[in-house]
Amino acid sequence: MKQKKSQMEIMGVAIIVVLLILGLLLFLRFSSVERPATLKEPFQRAELASSTLNTLLRTTTGCGRSSVAELYQDCVGPQKIFCENSDGEKISSCEYANGFVRIALMETIGELKRHYDFRVSHGSDGVVVYQIGDCGNFVDKDSSRYIIAGTEQHIAFTLDICG
Amino acid sequence: MKKAQIRMFETIAVLFIFILLIGFGLVFYSRMHSQGMFDRREERYEKHAIEVAQAAVSLPELKCSSYNTVVSDCIDYLKAEAFIEAVSQNPGLKNEYYFDLFGYSRIEFREIFPGGSVFVIYDFVPEDIVSRSTFNTPMSLYYPSRRTYSLGMFTVEVYEI
């Protein structure tokens, strides 16, 4: 009779220990789950990549009435367009376009505290005309790519929004 | 101490631990449940905010077009001006038609290059705001008279009440 009673007590202790372990496991399981990324974030990143590139390329610059895309077309082609910088000096379409893009990206994506990579390349070999950005080793990124015809070879514009 | 008293303490201790365990379980469950409800509410609100942002970005009243083709990510200056004037002259438009579309939100366009003008396209800010969700996207402003595109930022701020 006494042995049966002590057996039951041990059973009770065992049940409590099992319950404690179960509770601890459940707590660890749910507390370590990372909260899923919000819906807004991927939507905004994808939207930002395409709209920035679309908008940037068609923007009328201060170099005549040329758009950014037209300046790069001239830059990799005939190089007939010359622009004036803020100091009134004459500079090539390439220099002007690069400076314009750098400031425009800084005042749009940069203002939103986003990391980005912008790249202009031309030809089938993908010769890089201009590259700017700080994406580095970010894994999450959304890209937008736009290809236009140049005088001899096509020009590819790529914009990655990272983080 | 008598044997019976020890037994009683033992029983009370076991009961205490048992009740403590149940208490912990209940607290844990209620926290998980309320977190789940908060997440679902947040998700619903974000979906609504995305819908409003998409509706605002693709509003035909403002969009640029070229030979009957819609130009993406672009606002026509003349259309925007006419829209703002029409809405300000007809409060019913804002309070009924556009409120159904945008609810409590603020939509504005801020020119970055070359000018610095700001257009408030829609503005319905509630008095008590629980939270707000902001969408920013670069957008062109097209001046049909000059045929130029300026660079700007389109901002949609959706409020939760």
Side-chain angles (χ1 to χ4, degrees), chain B residues 2-3 6 11 21 23-24 32 55-56 70 75 87 92 95 160:
Chain B
K2 283 180 183 170
K3 207 173 176 182
I6 294 170
T11 313
L21 279 175
F24 275 136
M32 291 304 298
V70 172
I75 289 176
V87 170
N95 299 339
E160 187 185 19

Side-chain angles (χ1 to χ4, degrees), chain B residues 38-147:
Chain B
F38 178 78
D39 285 350
R40 276 195 295 277
R41 187 172 165 224
E42 192 85 339
E43 198 178 306
R44 245 198 337 263
Y45 166 61
E46 279 198 355
K47 268 184 190 166
H48 168 69
I50 290 171
E51 278 167 13
V52 170
Q54 277 186 324
V57 164
S58 51
L59 199 67
E61 289 91 320
L62 304 172
K63 294 227 89 173
C64 306
S65 60
S66 175
Y67 299 106
N68 275 339
T69 309
V70 172
V71 179
S72 60
D73 305 309
C74 179
I75 289 176
D76 190 309
Y77 172 73
L78 293 181
K79 285 185 187 177
E81 222 180 33
F83 176 82
I84 292 165
E85 199 182 325
V87 170
S88 67
Q89 283 176 359
N90 304 291
L93 264 181
K94 180 181 157 188
N95 299 339
E96 289 161 26
Y97 182 74
Y98 288 108
F99 183 78
D100 287 346
L101 203 60
F102 302 128
Y104 291 108
S105 58
R106 181 185 162 87
I107 302 164
E108 69 167 38
F109 178 85
R110 185 170 49 85
E111 200 178 17
I112 294 171
F113 178 85
S117 43
V118 177
F119 302 91
V120 177
I121 290 155
Y122 175 84
D123 189 24
F124 216 121
V125 184
E127 282 179 9
D128 300 313
I129 301 167
V130 175
S131 65
R132 65 185 74 200
S133 190
T134 309
F135 292 88
N136 290 294
T137 183
M139 200 168 274
S140 301
L141 181 66
Y142 178 61
Y143 291 93
S145 55
R146 288 185 257 154
R147 296 194 177 188

Side-chain angles (χ1 to χ4, degrees), chain A residues 10-26, chain B residues 21:
Chain A
I10 288 169
M11 271 283 282
V13 172
I15 287 170
I16 287 173
V17 169
V18 167
L19 281 174
L20 274 173
I21 291 169
L22 214 68
L24 198 72
L25 282 176
L26 272 173
Chain B
L21 279 175

